[in-house]
Amino acid sequence: MACKRGALIVLEGVDRAGKTTQCNKLVQTLQQSGQPVEMMRFPDRSTTIGQLISSYLEKKSDLEDHTVHLLFSANRWELVPLMKKKLEQGTTLVVDRYAFSGAAFTSAKPGFCLDWCKQPDVGLPKPDLVMFLQLSPAEAALRGQFGEERYETSVFQKAVQQKFEQLMKDSSVNWQVIDASQSVEDVHENIASHTHNAINKAQNLPLGQLWTRT
Ligand code: ADP
Ligand code: FDM
Ligand code: MG
């Protein structure tokens, strides 16, 4: 009998919404229930391309805006063979940011349209579920100051939030908006229940392609 494929689960959201916290907890819970699961994050700073991106985010280097956009996308594409292999083997992938961050962050820069920003990621493995952790700027501020990295300012984050809202209008993607202002445990329960449903549904469906009509 062919093994059932794993699900591609993505967490998105603004800075300090709890994406990394919740990805870790979700992976732990799925592991405890005997589900094959692995966590991934984008950017994946461990590859050669990821190191260029990391140095840019840390403001140790400057890159032209289109160039860095394409590097973020290339950093996803270089991991696609591995992602597909894992999913086909039945491993569920829990991913901290994906192409939606790519499109939202670059299109928040002057002179970029959302449609152009989406193009390099068209055809990536399509997530079975994208959970958007929704948190107001005031509540995010209660979770600490912005860090030192590029993009960590309130003006830019507000522009990014608006771009995410535009992306969420696309009904070809299975979006779930999660209230990220609750306790870590409550947010986790909500996320875990959406994930269980997505894993069950994905088992019987082929893996799709992001932002295509197929
Ligand atoms: P992100 O990856 O979205 O930027 P993190 O998971 O790193 O967010 O969380 C940002 C900060 O907020 C961390 O200090 C984390 O401990 C804290 N945090 C995460 N989730 C919650 C929550 N539900 N309630 C209060 N604080 C939280
Ligand atoms: N980011 C992330 C982008 O600008 N484009 C992308 O494609 C992705 C995946 O990189 F500011 C930005 C979003 C954020 C930074 O920060 C990554 P974390 O703390 O590693 O998630
Ligand atoms: Mg994080």
Side-chain angles (χ1 to χ4, degrees):
M1 191 179 76
C3 106
K4 295 186 166 174
R5 79 165 171 95
L8 181 56
I9 308 291
V10 170
L11 269 73
E12 288 279 8
V14 291
D15 195 51
R16 291 164 296 171
K19 298 178 295 299
T20 303
T21 305
Q22 293 297 335
C23 281
N24 283 318
K25 272 188 83 71
L26 183 58
V27 166
Q28 244 183 4
T29 295
L30 292 173
Q31 266 167 355
Q32 280 162 7
S33 70
Q35 179 79 44
V37 60
E38 284 182 34
M39 180 166 162
M40 297 182 75
R41 67 209 54 77
F42 289 110
D44 179 334
R45 302 188 193 211
S46 71
T47 69
T48 304
I49 294 169
Q51 282 160 24
L52 293 173
I53 294 170
S54 187
S55 155
Y56 171 83
L57 289 171
E58 293 169 13
K59 301 180 192 161
K60 289 179 183 160
S61 65
D62 285 321
L63 288 168
E64 193 275 330
D65 288 325
H66 300 77
T67 308
V68 75
H69 181 72
L70 296 172
L71 286 177
F72 274 112
S73 178
N75 183 232
R76 285 182 281 279
W77 281 107
E78 69 178 329
L79 284 151
V80 165
L82 181 68
M83 292 173 76
K84 284 189 169 166
K85 189 173 133 206
K86 300 259 179 209
L87 291 167
E88 279 161 16
Q89 285 172 346
T91 300
T92 284
L93 298 177
V94 171
V95 187
D96 187 347
R97 294 189 188 275
Y98 197 51
F100 313 98
S101 279
F105 276 75
T106 303
S107 67
K109 295 179 177 181
F112 284 86
C113 74
L114 194 57
D115 196 47
W116 185 88
C117 293
K118 287 163 73 175
Q119 294 313 307
D121 287 312
V122 168
L124 279 179
K126 182 178 175 168
D128 297 291
L129 171 65
V130 188
M131 289 177 278
F132 185 79
L133 275 57
Q134 185 84 264
L135 192 71
S136 71
E139 283 165 317
L142 295 176
R143 297 187 182 174
Q145 304 294 307
F146 282 113
E148 297 291 306
E149 288 207 332
R150 210 179 280 267
Y151 304 144
E152 295 184 333
T153 68
S154 62
V155 172
F156 194 71
Q157 292 285 325
K158 269 181 203 156
V160 170
Q161 164 79 28
Q162 283 175 2
K163 297 298 176 179
F164 272 126
E165 275 161 21
Q166 264 175 270
L167 287 167
M168 283 189 269
K169 289 182 188 153
D170 175 0
S171 59
S172 78
V173 173
N174 180 17
W175 288 99
Q176 287 291 338
V177 179
I178 305 289
D179 176 4
S181 69
Q182 300 166 303
S183 70
V184 170
E185 274 309 321
D186 287 352
V187 176
H188 171 65
E189 274 180 33
N190 194 0
I191 284 178
S193 106
H194 285 297
T195 301
H196 285 301
N197 290 339
I199 289 174
N200 288 336
K201 271 196 193 164
Q203 287 182 344
N204 306 308
L205 292 173
L207 183 63
Q209 292 191 338
L210 183 62
W211 293 327
T212 63
R213 291 180 191 282
T214 55

